[in-house]
Amino acid sequence: MVSKNKKIKIFDTTLRDGEQSPGATMNVSEKILIARQLACMGVDIIEAGFAFSSEGDFEAIKTISQEVEGPTICSLARAKPGDVDVAWKALSGGENVRIHTFISTSDIHLKYQFRLTREEALIRAVEAVSQAKSYLQDVEFSPMDATRTDESYLCEVLEAVIAAGATTVNIPDTVGYTSPEEFFRLIQAIRKRVPNIDQAIISVHCHDDLGLAVANSLSAIMAGAGQVECAINGIGERAGNTSLEEVVMALRIRQDFYGSDTDVVSEEITKTSRLVSKITGMSVQPNKAIVGANAFSHEAGIHQDGLLKEKTTYEIISPESVGAGKTSIVLGKHSGRHAFKTRLEELGYRPNEKDLNKAFERLKQLADQKKEIFDEDLEALISEEMGRPVERYRLVSLHAESGSGMKPTATVELSVDDTLLKKTGHGDGVVDAAYQTIAQITETKSHLCAYIVKAITGGTDAMGEVSVTIEESGRRVTGHGADTDIIIASVCAYLSALNQLAAGETRARKGQQ
Ligand code: KIV
Ligand code: ZN
């Protein structure tokens, strides 16, 4: 089938504007890792940095332009001969390369910051584009602070830079000032008033100071823009840039409305988001669209009931389509009986109506006291109602020691089926020592798949939460533990996972009988 959709180019600036987020500095090898993942995700252009700004940026642009295949690799350059020259030096070994040069055009910037007249700025813009064009074909020009620039002058500058060879003209909303309707009209005006505009692609670059970057970019697409500049997780200067994942998924999900799409492989989005978050240290807010931890979690009973009957009732994007695993039904104070029963069945329980109702009442009480309800909480509730033992393993005491020049040691005492067992063991750290000792006492054959620590509150006395995933004979379970002492939280998480495996074995044995 031939698609009627217009192809929108995705210009990723995570490595340039994204890196301008306070604290998000990346080293050369980190930038290369991200660039490779962006290429794998199918972006069209990667702005790998600002070559003149630092040796690190120069190196990153040079390496990425020579080693990363697929996207066009771009360097930013002020409209200054030295900048354009260095950008070209960084890019010259690459095959698909672009120079992106810029100068401010708003009267506010020209008067107070650059002390240039409009005429001087126009000459600098044309000279920079001509210089870049003498090195390579693909040249982008940005009139910085375009949305606060006099419209007639903006159109004059755009016409001149296109005549000088610019193949993309980018319209930056540098301070996140515009609104969707106003930006739509500006892009339309540019298309009408710049006589040679058909010789260049119109790009947009929006900042999120008023929370409108994505809306403004989508509005510009409706008005005829062919390229969107954006960053993973929406990172960037101040409040950030247009979020790549949001624009890409809005176009994909609402093709009926926008009539446009991109070449982004959406299944790679979550992986890319996590990589950028890990490298920059900038965590993603849980309720962030597309890539937030809660983006595919449903808690309200009425939503859960609808979802369990038919996914499309409350889910417009499937988590699988962005590589985010599966829809999650979170059991909490707002959940309904339908979701509770379904989850219990997934965990292998088939309670009768009476036990189910009693356990459901207790779930509501528990949810009033506890922020998160885990599977083991549900197992504990239902097991008690059904008269089954819950915990095979219980921590009685723990003593852990470590320090320079000594082997980390842990002495663990457990109650195993109500018998006390105590052992001492060593490891690569105290957590490892405790885990090895527990493994010896419980004689578990499981292996550790994941160990994640997170601070629930701030400060060095923070409440720490540990999640541990273990696997045995193809059965994978996750246990959680929370304590101000991270070693105790780790041990509780491991025991909770072992208890789940043990409970599963008991159920399996009963099922065979
Ligand atoms: O926000 C901005 O104006 C920029 C330009 C350099 C495109 O980042
Ligand atoms: Zn910017």
Side-chain angles (χ1 to χ4, degrees):
M1 196 180 80
V2 182
S3 161
K4 287 201 212 89
N5 284 325
K6 176 177 169 190
K7 152 90 194 279
I8 303 296
K9 285 184 187 243
I10 292 294
F11 177 114
D12 181 276
T13 186
T14 307
L15 302 179
R16 197 278 296 170
D17 211 319
E19 201 199 20
Q20 289 170 216
S21 310
T25 309
M26 299 167 237
N27 63 33
V28 177
S29 43
E30 289 168 338
K31 281 195 165 194
I32 295 167
L33 268 181
I34 293 179
R36 285 196 206 288
Q37 179 56 27
L38 290 170
C40 188
M41 195 176 67
V43 306
D44 299 283
I45 302 112
I46 295 175
E47 189 165 50
F50 180 178
F52 192 86
S53 71
S54 74
E55 269 179 36
D57 262 31
F58 182 92
E59 253 338 287
I61 296 165
K62 190 170 173 191
T63 318
I64 291 169
S65 64
Q66 290 173 17
E67 290 183 9
V68 176
E69 281 175 27
T72 296
I73 308 302
C74 172
S75 169
L76 186 68
R78 288 169 299 181
K80 288 183 166 193
D83 270 39
V84 177
D85 207 38
V86 172
W88 171 240
K89 283 204 176 86
L91 292 166
S92 55
E95 253 180 56
N96 289 327
V97 289
R98 169 183 296 190
I99 291 177
H100 173 195
T101 185
F102 72 101
I103 192 165
S104 282
T105 49
S106 70
D107 288 338
I108 302 180
H109 281 203
L110 292 179
K111 181 172 171 201
Y112 296 110
Q113 189 183 5
F114 299 103
R115 305 196 192 287
L116 289 174
T117 63
R118 287 185 180 181
E119 292 69 30
E120 285 166 338
L122 190 144
I123 292 169
R124 287 262 302 271
V126 169
E127 282 176 356
V129 170
S130 307
Q131 184 191 352
K133 199 72 184 183
S134 72
Y135 300 137
L136 78 182
Q137 270 310 307
D138 193 345
V139 178
E140 173 169 327
F141 173 76
S142 289
M144 190 154 79
D145 205 16
T147 51
R148 293 193 299 169
T149 298
D150 173 74
E151 194 178 290
S152 302
Y153 173 60
L154 179 65
C155 290
E156 196 187 329
V157 172
L158 295 177
E159 184 182 352
V161 294
I162 294 171
T167 43
T168 302
V169 284
N170 181 43
I171 312 302
D173 182 28
T174 303
V175 290
Y177 181 71
T178 197
S179 73
E181 293 78 1
E182 185 185 58
F183 207 37
F184 182 92
R185 276 189 256 126
L186 178 63
I187 303 300
Q188 265 194 335
I190 290 169
R191 291 182 68 201
K192 274 202 199 110
R193 296 180 62 178
V194 177
N196 52 0
I197 196 69
D198 56 331
Q199 290 166 38
I201 290 176
I202 300 177
S203 167
V204 287
H205 174 112
C206 297
H207 279 270
D208 209 29
D209 300 67
L210 292 172
L212 290 170
V214 171
N216 289 335
S217 303
L218 291 169
S219 187
I221 289 170
M222 294 293 279
Q227 175 179 292
V228 174
E229 301 200 356
C230 39
I232 299 293
N233 300 337
I235 63 171
E237 187 77 26
R238 306 183 309 280
N241 284 93
T242 297
S243 142
L244 181 146
E245 57 280 4
E246 292 180 25
V247 158
V248 164
M249 291 314 289
L251 294 177
R252 180 102 2 122
I253 297 292
R254 294 305 312 276
Q255 289 181 40
D256 60 321
F257 181 72
Y258 294 108
S260 305
D261 200 4
T262 69
D263 279 348
V264 168
V265 181
S266 62
E267 288 78 6
E268 292 292 323
I269 284 179
T270 302
K271 189 171 166 197
T272 317
S273 161
R274 291 192 183 150
L275 179 69
V276 169
S277 171
K278 190 168 147 220
I279 288 180
T280 59
M282 292 184 71
S283 46
V284 173
Q285 75 198 56
N287 59 327
K288 162 91 173 62
I290 320 294
V291 291
N294 295 347
F296 302 102
S297 301
H298 305 260
E299 185 170 317
I302 190 161
H303 291 204
Q304 296 180 340
D305 179 55
L307 271 170
L308 290 167
K309 289 172 177 153
E310 163 57 42
K311 279 230 166 116
T312 53
T313 49
Y314 290 94
E315 193 169 86
I316 61 157
I317 312 165
S318 77
E320 292 85 355
S321 70
V322 294
K326 291 209 299 198
T327 308
S328 98
I329 302 266
V330 179
L331 290 172
K333 64 193 276 188
H334 306 110
S335 307
R337 197 181 312 264
H338 187 175
F340 181 53
K341 185 167 178 236
T342 307
R343 186 72 197 120
L344 288 179
E345 282 170 6
E346 283 165 7
L347 291 168
Y349 294 89
R350 303 257 179 282
N352 62 30
E353 263 318 276
K354 193 170 136 248
D355 290 345
L356 178 75
N357 288 344
K358 275 197 170 164
F360 184 63
E361 253 172 53
R362 289 183 55 201
L363 168 78
K364 292 280 177 176
Q365 285 161 9
L366 185 68
D368 266 334
Q369 294 154 13
K370 209 165 174 272
K371 265 194 171 18
E372 261 184 282
I373 304 285
F374 300 116
D375 282 350
E376 52 267 40
D377 294 318
L378 302 182
E379 300 214 50
L381 285 180
I382 200 67
S383 297
E384 275 170 35
E385 290 310 329
M386 293 169 84
R388 287 189 191 162
V390 192
E391 287 185 332
R392 177 155 191 228
Y393 309 113
R394 228 168 14 84
L395 178 67
V396 177
S397 69
L398 167 72
H399 180 78
E401 260 187 301
S402 121
S404 43
M406 75 170 283
K407 245 186 166 183
T409 306
T411 302
V412 183
E413 187 175 14
L414 297 184
S415 151
V416 180
D417 294 330
D418 294 330
T419 307
L420 291 184
L421 297 174
K422 190 172 182 177
K423 268 194 192 305
T424 297
H426 305 287
D428 284 338
V430 274
V431 173
D432 188 46
Y435 276 28
Q436 303 230 27
T437 312
I438 291 172
Q440 276 181 35
I441 299 176
T442 59
E443 296 176 354
T444 179
K445 306 263 178 315
S446 63
H447 72 270
L448 191 66
C449 310
Y451 169 81
I452 300 164
V453 183
K454 76 177 180 218
I456 302 176
T457 51
T460 47
D461 60 346
M463 189 78 176
E465 185 183 297
V466 176
S467 301
V468 168
T469 303
I470 58 175
E471 191 177 299
E472 189 182 83
S473 317
R475 183 154 184 252
R476 201 176 248 253
V477 292
T478 301
H480 303 271
D483 200 280
T484 45
D485 182 326
I486 210 67
I487 320 289
I488 293 186
S490 303
V491 164
C492 290
Y494 189 32
L495 289 177
S496 136
L498 289 170
N499 275 322
Q500 287 179 64
L501 277 185
E505 279 163 22
T506 313
R507 282 198 298 279
R509 272 199 304 275
K510 289 207 167 159
Q512 282 159 12
Q513 283 161 11

